[in-house]
Amino acid sequence: MPTVTEKSPVTVLPGVGRVRAECYARLGITTLGELLSHYPRAYENRGEIRLLRDARADAKTAVILTVATEPRCVRLRSRKSFLKFRAFDESASCEIVYFNQDYLRDKFTVGSEFRFWGRVERVGRNGLSMSSPIAEPYAPGVPLKRLCAVWRLTDGLSQKQVERDVTAALELLAGGSEDPLPAALLRRRNLCTLAFAERNIHLPADPRDLTIARRRLVYQEFFDFSLGATMLRSRAATHTAPPCAEGSVNRLLRQLPYSLTGAQARAVEEIRRDLARSVPMARMVVGDVGCGKTVVAAAAMLIAVQSGRQAALMAPTEILARQHYKELSDYFTRLGISCALLIGASTAKEKREIKAALSAEDPQKRLQVVIGTHALLSDGVEFAAPGLVVTDEQHRFGAGQRALLSQKNGYAHLLVMSATPIPRSLALVLYGDIELSRIDEMPPGRQRVDTFVVDESYRDRLNGFIEKQVEEGGQVYVVCPSVEEQEVAEDEVALRELDSNGLAHTEEKPTLKAAVAYAAELAERFPRYGVAFLHGRLKSKEKDEVMRRFADGEVQILVSTTVIEVGVNVPNACLMIVENAERFGLSQLHQLRGRVGRGKRKSYCVLVAGGEGKLSESARGRLQVMRTTYDGYAIAEQDLAQRGPGDFLGNGEAVRQSGALCFRIANAAEDTGILTQAAEDARALLREDPSLQSYPLLAERARAMFTQRDGLIS
Ligand code: ADP
Ligand code: MG
């Protein structure tokens, strides 16, 4: 029998056949190693035993109960059946019900004890009931697991199966591979072995072990990332980029209906100096939403083009790419510069033509400016004369992708636009020697967006307020948390909510307002207005159509999930309502608020959240900050300080889809301490052994870190 390694297919596991392998494949898992890096997304805290009397109505609870009555099996006509018995603890008794599981009858003998995990519901006046709880026999001295992992699943796969397969994989691989990190480093940084970490992240023996395991895996992930990034950079450092020194931006500036703010002019000047050199520029323009970064990017692109080079602008979403295209192509065509839009939704013919024009040797036929999404990264996009690559809202892109863009046909200068103020220390680790231009000044005449925090009891008044705004000719955004955000269910605990002892804090999470239902409700309430619904599942054509109708004023009320978050510009919008606002991080809320107050209308932001007592301390704190603070930098600092939900560098489904800089287990915003250590250690190791000859396992991991994402490092 061939030896089993991390690279063996999941089908070597007992009981895993073609069907289950297909399920795993849908989660991106084909090998045992990949299965083991399918880290749990949450843990159930079954170790916190409560009395029935104290069980919360809204979350699953662990109780230890003694079976009081013989299970009774009730058959229904519909060939369904249920099993029913009573059980008690010292505080109360409770009815337990299982559906269609008659075979459980023998398990629950009168007098035996179980740990039940489920929701304790109140029935009738004093009755309690649990429906289909998970039951584990309880005997003093026989330990039960305190934390139970919850994995991300796909249709046809159950938690039980994943647990069984992960356990089997750990067994098969036990003692097999050596630790990729040098033992001295493990000792110095007080890290556990990788084998221990992999076992305990999935099957934590106790909460402390989970914390220890997670720390090692976070460290490892940052370490691998830093190795890869440093190797990429040291290769980049030996390259040069074409000096672009010809440009004058005056022709562009003359077209604008305004003059640049001092901060914008400074940024343009810094960029102009960088572009004139043959050292590839790596500069990030950071400035609060609405400060006017787009025109700075346009100026930079113009300099590159006037120097005979090409410029590309990459945006995180199609909506944004189209909006940039609309604005910039207008400027550029008037200056006689060719400009095209390349997005996933472009037709095959368009794509072919754009690719051909980008790589055209003849400068007369060559496309000078391309604006697009990550479609710009696809095969066959080659620049004949790359000059400048601009990415908008950088935290949505992986560092690797940016490096890739600067590699096609030699190196280009790189400009990154971000509304997320990033501390310089963190920028250094994540992006290397990137220079910062801060736009710390708003265009004149901007007014403050008055912000209110309200709960459900204000719903009627809020509807009245919507009506008033629309009657006066304004437009309204209503943002609901996206469907994907429900990934962590109410009774589970996201991994990062574990404290240093590995204990979970279950934060109360109100049921999310279903965006769909709400859109329908608003449409019904305001039949005279145009109400539209925008969400991530719409095809990009449909999204665009909805956005266009909103921008053109055909739609007055736009209900959307957070797809509108970045960059969209509709100056007539004057009211932003955020539903379940406690679910959003500070930076995200600030971004959303930045969607209004862009025109002449007095604008408002209303954050709808659970009432007093229903919100956690930190959620209340976040909303309070929004009510009193309007400065994006101050908000970002608070965000970091509060260790908010990590949207600082972006996470969540949208980001995962766009291939952002997001890690499997680490969180760059929250695990900054570990990140700094790992980056330091990785650099030290590379100084000692630049090509990692003595560390083949690490070399492989570093390579995988980037090849998986971007097909980089060969
Ligand atoms: P962001 O930095 O969020 O990307 P944008 O580039 O979208 O901001 O600019 C926001 C709005 O401000 C746009 O409508 C733009 O035309 C306008 N704007 C940009 N710079 C100035 C300026 N110096 N004076 C007046 N308006 C400006
Ligand atoms: Mg922008």
Side-chain angles (χ1 to χ4, degrees), residues 242-563:
C244 300
E246 305 296 316
S248 148
V249 293
N250 288 337
R251 289 168 63 209
L252 171 69
L253 300 187
R254 272 199 299 273
Q255 286 189 32
L256 299 175
Y258 50 78
S259 46
L260 294 187
T261 61
Q264 283 171 318
R266 244 187 341 268
V268 171
E269 203 38 52
E270 284 164 349
I271 291 165
R272 187 215 299 280
R273 249 181 282 140
D274 284 358
L275 287 176
R277 308 198 307 154
S278 58
V279 180
M281 172 173 79
R283 180 171 289 278
M284 186 187 291
V285 174
V286 196
D288 210 347
V289 269
C291 74
K293 294 182 290 294
T294 317
V295 67
V296 172
M301 294 167 89
L302 182 63
I303 295 172
V305 168
Q306 289 178 336
S307 309
R309 311 298 300 188
Q310 293 165 295
L313 171 70
M314 186 157 84
T317 63
E318 296 205 347
I319 292 178
L320 215 52
R322 280 180 200 263
Q323 192 175 307
H324 282 321
Y325 178 72
K326 204 168 142 204
E327 183 179 344
L328 297 183
S329 63
D330 193 41
Y331 296 145
F332 288 139
T333 17
R334 271 191 270 158
L335 296 172
I337 292 169
S338 57
C339 183
L341 177 71
L342 181 67
I343 54 181
S346 308
T347 64
K349 179 160 169 273
E350 282 167 343
K351 285 180 186 160
R352 219 170 30 244
E353 285 172 4
I354 292 173
K355 284 176 189 175
L358 278 176
S359 56
E361 287 305 324
D362 179 355
Q364 298 302 314
K365 292 187 186 140
R366 192 184 294 155
L367 183 58
Q368 291 166 294
V369 171
V370 66
I371 293 170
T373 53
H374 47 276
L376 289 175
L377 297 170
S378 58
D379 276 348
V381 178
E382 303 259 333
F383 296 85
L388 172 69
V389 172
V390 184
T391 71
D392 195 20
E393 307 299 346
Q394 54 77 29
H395 59 294
R396 303 266 153 169
F397 291 101
Q401 286 184 329
R402 292 196 307 279
L404 180 66
L405 262 180
S406 3
Q407 274 194 334
K408 292 250 155 114
N409 261 334
Y411 277 70
H413 296 285
L414 181 64
L415 184 65
V416 171
M417 322 295 279
S418 174
T420 313
I422 181 170
R424 174 139 184 90
S425 57
L426 194 54
L428 259 175
V429 175
L430 290 173
Y431 307 109
D433 290 325
I434 203 155
E435 300 288 333
L436 295 184
S437 293
R438 293 199 190 278
I439 303 190
D440 49 8
E441 186 182 350
M442 281 291 177
R446 286 288 157 82
Q447 21 161 324
R448 143 176 312 201
V449 178
D450 285 342
T451 303
F452 305 92
V453 180
V454 304
D455 62 29
E456 269 315 307
S457 67
Y458 284 74
R459 183 62 65 189
D460 280 345
R461 266 186 275 176
L462 189 52
N463 284 328
F465 195 53
I466 295 178
E467 184 164 9
K468 177 166 181 285
Q469 298 305 320
V470 178
E471 282 300 318
E472 289 173 2
Q475 283 169 285
V476 180
Y477 286 110
V478 182
V479 173
C480 306
S482 66
V483 186
E484 287 83 0
E485 296 211 17
Q486 291 186 14
E487 211 183 278
V488 175
E490 291 145 54
D491 37 35
E492 296 157 356
V493 186
L495 183 53
R496 62 170 178 272
E497 284 163 23
L498 296 172
D499 71 14
S500 54
N501 295 315
L503 290 176
H505 300 286
T506 324
E507 182 170 310
E508 191 165 335
K509 288 176 182 136
T511 31
L512 301 177
K513 184 164 277 290
V516 193
Y518 194 47
E521 188 189 317
L522 284 172
E524 196 169 324
R525 184 180 288 264
F526 300 114
R528 290 190 298 128
Y529 309 148
V531 178
F533 183 37
L534 186 70
H535 56 89
R537 304 248 166 93
L538 288 180
K539 295 202 192 77
S540 69
K541 249 209 178 116
E542 298 166 326
K543 277 189 218 164
D544 264 31
E545 177 59 13
V546 172
M547 249 353 264
R548 183 198 63 71
R549 286 171 52 217
F550 188 64
D552 291 350
E554 290 167 31
V555 163
Q556 283 83 39
I557 303 174
L558 179 66
V559 183
S560 96
T561 59
T562 41
V563 286

Side-chain angles (χ1 to χ4, degrees), residues 28-69:
I29 299 167
T30 55
T31 66
L32 296 188
E34 284 159 358
L35 178 62
L36 292 185
S37 349
H38 186 58
Y39 303 125
R41 61 174 169 80
Y43 297 84
E44 289 173 346
N45 187 1
R46 296 191 201 165
E48 191 188 327
I49 309 290
R50 294 196 183 212
L51 289 175
L52 274 174
R53 192 182 52 207
D54 303 333
R56 284 196 354 210
D58 54 355
K60 287 187 186 171
T61 314
V63 288
I64 292 178
L65 306 179
T66 309
V67 176
T69 64

